[in-house]
Amino acid sequence: MLRRVIRAVDESSRSASQLLDHATVSFRADALAQERVDLGELAARVTASLRPTAEMKDISIRLDTAEDALVRGDAILLESALRNMLDNSVKYSPEETEIMVSLTRDEATWRLMVRDYGRSFSGEPLPELTGRFRRGRNVEKIVGSGLGLTIAEEVLQAHAGRLELSTPEDGAGACVALILPAA
């Protein structure tokens, strides 16, 4: 019973936080900061902040990052994008599963990937899923605002990056990649 009460309070807080995040993205994107941001440090901070919520569902978060994963941009907005993606993974994943956060680089970009064993993206195209207040057809029984993917996509667009959504090769869960130009 206590867990249900805590989850209800958490959902209300999460929705209010996403509305504020979206307003922050709209405001800050016009005058985007161009500071050096280490994505590995950012990922460590965000995963640490969401571990208590994940642990309430017996979900573990594994983090595999790279050193000196530098990009240029607004640390507050980048943190918001990752927090929203990781928050979605916790929300839509079944109990007693694992979420993996990894950071890899190719020649010109960093790929910050969140992979879970929750619901997939139900085959809907990216524009459908990233529209404001839009949600996938397979999540109607879970409380949400429909802003998480919107926030992430707008943050990445402001940073000349992109959002990629996919279903893992094994067909279980979802992968979200935040792709940013390397500094």
Side-chain angles (χ1 to χ4, degrees):
M1 178 68 143
L2 181 58
R3 278 187 179 205
R4 281 188 272 160
V5 170
I6 291 170
R7 283 187 189 144
V9 169
D10 186 49
E11 286 298 327
S12 296
S13 173
R14 189 177 293 148
S15 293
S17 178
Q18 283 187 318
L19 288 168
L20 288 172
D21 282 351
H22 189 256
T24 300
V25 171
S26 298
F27 176 75
R28 292 180 73 99
D30 290 338
L32 192 65
Q34 290 297 317
E35 58 199 24
R36 289 172 54 122
V37 178
D38 186 320
L39 290 178
E41 290 176 8
L42 184 137
R45 231 180 7 257
V46 172
T47 56
S49 73
L50 284 169
R51 270 199 177 96
T53 303
E55 288 171 356
M56 279 196 259
K57 288 180 70 176
D58 295 320
I59 295 173
S60 63
I61 301 175
R62 189 175 79 207
L63 177 62
D64 181 21
T65 63
E67 291 186 28
D68 299 322
L70 298 176
V71 297
R72 293 198 91 42
D74 188 314
I76 292 169
L77 293 184
L78 293 170
E79 186 172 316
S80 175
L82 178 58
R83 185 178 56 252
N84 275 283
M85 295 306 85
L86 194 52
D87 184 64
N88 278 353
S89 284
V90 170
K91 184 188 325 185
Y92 297 119
S93 289
E95 293 182 357
E96 299 179 8
T97 56
E98 180 178 58
I99 297 170
M100 289 147 296
V101 180
S102 61
L103 185 58
T104 57
R105 182 180 174 161
D106 66 17
E107 282 185 33
T109 62
W110 283 103
R111 176 181 291 265
L112 184 53
M113 175 125 24
V114 178
R115 198 259 200 235
D116 64 44
Y117 291 91
R119 299 164 189 237
S120 67
F121 292 108
S122 67
E124 294 174 62
L126 184 61
E128 291 291 318
L129 292 171
T130 59
R132 284 185 197 133
F133 307 112
R134 291 188 154 164
R135 302 179 70 217
R137 287 173 283 200
N138 63 346
V139 297
E140 61 275 345
K141 293 186 180 182
I142 297 176
V143 177
S145 66
L147 284 172
L149 291 173
T150 305
I151 291 165
E153 185 176 58
E154 289 178 1
V155 167
L156 291 166
Q157 287 174 349
H159 286 84
R162 70 184 188 280
L163 182 68
E164 261 181 25
L165 307 178
S166 61
T167 300
E169 289 180 16
D170 64 7
C175 286
V176 177
L178 289 74
I179 302 167
L180 293 155

